[in-house]
């Protein structure tokens, strides 16, 4: 009986301390450049699985895209100041093929003039980044935080804690009955 109680206590403790990954690590993603509308594919940039060192892509030597567990970074190449053409949509869509996207927010280190959270739209498992009409140079970067600010781990739902406590209660009730 002591073994069962110890087993239940260990199980409950492990459930209480479990965390879930809130980032993109091991997620399969696809990135497509859309222009001049959100329904017009200009070019497929790439697809792959986000690994421990991230996933790197390039769009026609305009910018490099680096996707990691907790960050999406767009680094522009060496360009004099130029502007993205004004159109209803001029940007990319990142689609998480694994499931719904975690929370995404604009990092304060982003320095694209005129770019704000209003240029980001999340629909289901897709993130739309629209920088139509905005300027960029070789020093421009857009940084998006994935899953909120670090740490990128969040506690599992409270229901797992309740399950562990319920199992402990069942073990204690069974012990008391004997």
């Amino acid at each position: 009986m002591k073994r069962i109680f110890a087993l239940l206590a260990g199980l409950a403790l492990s459930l209480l301390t479990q965390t879930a990954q809130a980032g993109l690590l091991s997620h399969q993603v696809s990135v497509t450049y859309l222009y001049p509308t959100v329904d017009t594919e200009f070019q497929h940039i790439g697809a792959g699985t986000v690994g421990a060192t991230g996933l790197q892509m390039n769009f026609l030597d305009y910018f490099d895209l680096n996707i990691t567990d907790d960050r999406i970074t767009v680094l522009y190449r060496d360009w004099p100041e130029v502007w993205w053409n004004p159109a209803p949509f001029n940007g990319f869509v990142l689609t998480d093929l694994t499931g719904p996207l975690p929370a995404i927010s604009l990092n304060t280190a982003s320095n694209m003039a005129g770019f704000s959270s209003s240029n980001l739209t999340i629909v289901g498992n897709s993130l739309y980044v629209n920088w139509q009409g905005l300027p960029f140079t070789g020093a421009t970067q857009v940084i998006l935080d994935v899953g909120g600010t670090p740490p990128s781990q969040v506690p599992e739902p409270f229901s797992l804690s309740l399950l562990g406590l319920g199992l402990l209660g069942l073990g204690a009730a069974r012990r008391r009955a004997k």
Side-chain angles (χ1 to χ4, degrees), residues 115-156:
F115 192 86
S116 68
S117 296
S118 66
N119 296 87
L120 306 173
T121 305
I122 296 177
V123 179
N125 60 339
S126 295
L127 166 68
Y128 293 85
V129 178
N130 186 8
W131 41 48
Q132 63 90 16
L134 298 178
F136 64 94
T137 67
T140 301
Q141 61 183 6
V142 174
I143 302 169
L144 306 175
D145 292 324
V146 177
T149 55
S152 62
Q153 292 188 337
V154 295
E156 278 291 334

Coordinates of all heavy atoms in Angstrom, one line a residue, residues 115-156:
F115 N 6.3 51.0 -38.8 CA 5.8 49.6 -38.6 C 5.4 49.5 -37.1 O 6.1 49.9 -36.2 CB 6.9 48.6 -38.8 CG 6.5 47.2 -38.9 CD1 6.0 46.6 -40.0 CD2 6.5 46.4 -37.8 CE1 5.5 45.3 -40.1 CE2 6.1 45.0 -37.8 CZ 5.6 44.5 -39.0
S116 N 4.2 48.9 -36.9 CA 3.7 48.8 -35.6 C 2.9 47.5 -35.5 O 2.8 46.7 -36.5 CB 2.7 49.9 -35.2 OG 1.6 49.9 -36.0
S117 N 2.3 47.2 -34.3 CA 1.5 46.0 -34.2 C 0.3 45.9 -35.1 O -0.2 44.9 -35.4 CB 1.0 45.9 -32.7 OG 2.1 45.8 -31.8
S118 N -0.1 47.1 -35.6 CA -1.2 47.1 -36.5 C -0.9 46.5 -37.9 O -1.7 46.2 -38.7 CB -1.8 48.5 -36.7 OG -0.8 49.3 -37.3
N119 N 0.4 46.3 -38.1 CA 0.9 45.7 -39.4 C 0.9 44.2 -39.3 O 1.3 43.5 -40.2 CB 2.3 46.2 -39.8 CG 2.3 47.6 -40.1 OD1 2.5 48.4 -39.2 ND2 2.1 48.0 -41.3
L120 N 0.5 43.6 -38.1 CA 0.5 42.2 -37.9 C -0.9 41.7 -37.7 O -1.7 42.3 -37.0 CB 1.3 41.8 -36.6 CG 2.7 42.4 -36.4 CD1 3.2 42.1 -35.0 CD2 3.6 41.7 -37.5
T121 N -1.2 40.6 -38.4 CA -2.6 40.0 -38.2 C -2.4 38.5 -38.1 O -1.7 37.9 -38.9 CB -3.4 40.3 -39.5 OG1 -3.5 41.7 -39.7 CG2 -4.8 39.8 -39.3
I122 N -3.1 38.0 -37.1 CA -3.0 36.5 -36.9 C -4.4 36.0 -37.2 O -5.4 36.5 -36.6 CB -2.6 36.1 -35.5 CG1 -1.2 36.5 -35.2 CG2 -2.7 34.6 -35.3 CD1 -0.6 36.3 -33.9
V123 N -4.5 35.0 -38.1 CA -5.8 34.4 -38.4 C -5.5 32.9 -38.3 O -4.8 32.3 -39.1 CB -6.3 34.8 -39.8 CG1 -7.6 34.0 -40.2 CG2 -6.4 36.3 -40.0
G124 N -6.1 32.3 -37.3 CA -5.9 30.8 -37.1 C -4.4 30.5 -36.9 O -3.8 31.0 -35.9
N125 N -3.8 29.7 -37.8 CA -2.4 29.4 -37.6 C -1.5 30.1 -38.6 O -0.4 29.7 -38.9 CB -2.3 27.8 -37.8 CG -2.7 27.4 -39.2 OD1 -3.5 28.0 -39.9 ND2 -2.2 26.2 -39.6
S126 N -2.0 31.3 -39.0 CA -1.2 32.1 -40.0 C -1.0 33.5 -39.4 O -1.9 34.2 -38.9 CB -1.9 32.2 -41.3 OG -2.0 31.0 -41.9
L127 N 0.3 34.0 -39.6 CA 0.7 35.4 -39.2 C 0.9 36.1 -40.5 O 1.7 35.7 -41.3 CB 2.0 35.3 -38.4 CG 2.7 36.7 -38.2 CD1 1.9 37.6 -37.4 CD2 4.1 36.5 -37.7
Y128 N 0.2 37.2 -40.7 CA 0.4 38.1 -41.8 C 1.1 39.3 -41.4 O 0.8 40.0 -40.5 CB -1.0 38.5 -42.4 CG -1.8 37.4 -43.0 CD1 -2.6 36.6 -42.2 CD2 -1.7 37.1 -44.3 CE1 -3.3 35.5 -42.7 CE2 -2.4 36.0 -44.9 CZ -3.2 35.2 -44.1 OH -3.9 34.2 -44.6
V129 N 2.3 39.6 -42.1 CA 3.1 40.8 -41.9 C 3.0 41.7 -43.1 O 3.5 41.3 -44.2 CB 4.6 40.4 -41.6 CG1 5.4 41.6 -41.4 CG2 4.6 39.5 -40.4
N130 N 2.4 42.8 -43.0 CA 2.1 43.7 -44.1 C 2.9 45.0 -43.9 O 2.6 45.8 -43.0 CB 0.6 44.0 -44.2 CG 0.3 44.8 -45.5 OD1 1.1 45.1 -46.3 ND2 -0.9 45.3 -45.6
W131 N 3.9 45.3 -44.7 CA 4.7 46.5 -44.6 C 4.6 47.4 -45.8 O 5.5 48.1 -46.2 CB 6.2 46.2 -44.3 CG 6.8 45.1 -45.0 CD1 6.7 44.8 -46.4 CD2 7.6 44.1 -44.4 NE1 7.4 43.7 -46.6 CE2 8.0 43.2 -45.5 CE3 8.0 43.8 -43.1 CZ2 8.7 42.1 -45.2 CZ3 8.7 42.7 -42.9 CH2 9.1 41.8 -44.0
Q132 N 3.4 47.3 -46.5 CA 3.2 48.0 -47.7 C 3.4 49.5 -47.5 O 3.0 50.1 -46.5 CB 1.8 47.7 -48.3 CG 0.6 48.2 -47.4 CD 0.2 49.6 -47.7 OE1 0.5 50.2 -48.7 NE2 -0.6 50.1 -46.7
G133 N 4.2 50.1 -48.4 CA 4.4 51.6 -48.4 C 5.5 52.0 -47.4 O 5.7 53.2 -47.2
L134 N 6.1 51.1 -46.6 CA 7.0 51.5 -45.6 C 8.5 51.4 -46.1 O 8.8 50.6 -47.0 CB 6.9 50.6 -44.4 CG 5.6 50.6 -43.6 CD1 5.5 49.6 -42.5 CD2 5.2 52.0 -43.2
P135 N 9.3 52.3 -45.6 CA 10.7 52.4 -46.0 C 11.6 51.4 -45.3 O 11.3 50.9 -44.2 CB 11.2 53.8 -45.7 CG 10.4 54.1 -44.4 CD 9.0 53.4 -44.6
F136 N 12.7 51.0 -45.9 CA 13.7 50.1 -45.3 C 15.1 50.4 -45.8 O 15.2 50.9 -47.0 CB 13.4 48.7 -45.4 CG 13.4 48.1 -46.8 CD1 14.5 47.5 -47.3 CD2 12.3 48.2 -47.6 CE1 14.6 47.1 -48.6 CE2 12.3 47.7 -48.9 CZ 13.5 47.1 -49.4
T137 N 16.1 50.1 -45.0 CA 17.5 50.2 -45.4 C 18.2 49.0 -45.0 O 17.6 48.1 -44.4 CB 18.2 51.4 -44.8 OG1 18.3 51.2 -43.4 CG2 17.5 52.7 -45.0
G138 N 19.5 48.9 -45.2 CA 20.3 47.7 -44.8 C 20.3 47.6 -43.2 O 20.7 46.6 -42.7
A139 N 20.0 48.7 -42.5 CA 20.0 48.6 -41.0 C 18.6 48.3 -40.5 O 18.5 48.2 -39.2 CB 20.5 49.9 -40.5
T140 N 17.6 48.1 -41.3 CA 16.3 47.8 -40.8 C 16.1 46.4 -40.3 O 16.6 45.5 -40.9 CB 15.2 48.1 -41.9 OG1 15.4 49.5 -42.4 CG2 13.8 47.9 -41.5
Q141 N 15.4 46.3 -39.2 CA 15.1 45.0 -38.6 C 13.7 45.0 -38.0 O 13.3 46.0 -37.5 CB 16.1 44.5 -37.6 CG 16.2 45.4 -36.4 CD 17.3 44.9 -35.4 OE1 18.0 44.0 -35.7 NE2 17.4 45.6 -34.3
V142 N 13.0 43.9 -38.2 CA 11.7 43.7 -37.6 C 11.8 42.5 -36.8 O 12.2 41.4 -37.3 CB 10.6 43.5 -38.7 CG1 9.2 43.2 -38.0 CG2 10.4 44.8 -39.5
I143 N 11.5 42.6 -35.5 CA 11.7 41.5 -34.5 C 10.3 41.2 -33.9 O 9.7 42.1 -33.3 CB 12.8 41.8 -33.5 CG1 14.1 42.1 -34.2 CG2 12.9 40.6 -32.5 CD1 15.1 42.6 -33.2
L144 N 9.9 40.0 -33.9 CA 8.6 39.6 -33.3 C 8.9 38.5 -32.2 O 9.6 37.6 -32.5 CB 7.7 39.0 -34.4 CG 7.5 39.9 -35.6 CD1 6.6 39.1 -36.6 CD2 6.8 41.2 -35.2
D145 N 8.4 38.8 -31.1 CA 8.5 37.8 -30.0 C 7.4 36.8 -30.1 O 6.2 37.1 -30.3 CB 8.4 38.5 -28.6 CG 9.7 39.4 -28.4 OD1 10.8 39.0 -28.8 OD2 9.5 40.5 -27.8
V146 N 7.8 35.5 -29.9 CA 6.8 34.4 -30.0 C 6.5 33.9 -28.6 O 7.5 33.6 -27.9 CB 7.3 33.3 -30.9 CG1 6.4 32.1 -31.0 CG2 7.6 33.8 -32.3
G147 N 5.3 33.7 -28.2 CA 4.9 33.2 -26.9 C 5.1 34.2 -25.8 O 5.3 33.8 -24.7
G148 N 5.1 35.5 -26.1 CA 5.3 36.5 -25.1 C 6.8 36.7 -24.9 O 7.6 36.3 -25.6
T149 N 7.1 37.3 -23.7 CA 8.5 37.5 -23.4 C 9.1 36.3 -22.7 O 8.4 35.6 -22.0 CB 8.7 38.8 -22.5 OG1 7.8 38.6 -21.4 CG2 8.2 40.0 -23.3
P150 N 10.4 36.1 -22.8 CA 11.0 35.0 -22.1 C 10.7 35.0 -20.7 O 10.6 36.0 -20.1 CB 12.5 35.1 -22.4 CG 12.6 36.0 -23.7 CD 11.4 36.9 -23.6
P151 N 10.6 33.8 -20.0 CA 10.8 32.5 -20.5 C 9.6 32.1 -21.4 O 8.5 32.5 -21.2 CB 10.9 31.6 -19.3 CG 10.1 32.3 -18.3 CD 10.3 33.8 -18.5
S152 N 9.9 31.2 -22.4 CA 8.9 30.8 -23.3 C 8.2 29.6 -22.9 O 7.6 28.9 -23.7 CB 9.5 30.6 -24.7 OG 10.5 29.6 -24.6
Q153 N 8.2 29.3 -21.6 CA 7.5 28.1 -21.1 C 6.4 28.7 -20.2 O 6.6 29.6 -19.4 CB 8.4 27.2 -20.3 CG 9.4 26.5 -21.2 CD 10.1 25.4 -20.5 OE1 10.3 25.4 -19.3 NE2 10.6 24.5 -21.2
V154 N 5.2 28.0 -20.2 CA 4.1 28.4 -19.4 C 3.6 27.1 -18.7 O 3.8 26.0 -19.1 CB 2.9 29.0 -20.2 CG1 3.3 30.3 -20.9 CG2 2.5 28.0 -21.3
P155 N 3.1 27.3 -17.5 CA 2.6 26.1 -16.8 C 1.4 25.4 -17.5 O 0.7 26.1 -18.2 CB 2.0 26.7 -15.4 CG 2.6 28.1 -15.4 CD 2.9 28.5 -16.8
E156 N 1.4 24.1 -17.4 CA 0.3 23.4 -17.9 C -1.0 23.8 -17.3 O -1.0 24.4 -16.2 CB 0.5 21.9 -17.7 CG 1.4 21.2 -18.7 CD 0.8 21.2 -20.1 OE1 -0.4 21.2 -20.3 OE2 1.6 21.1 -21.0

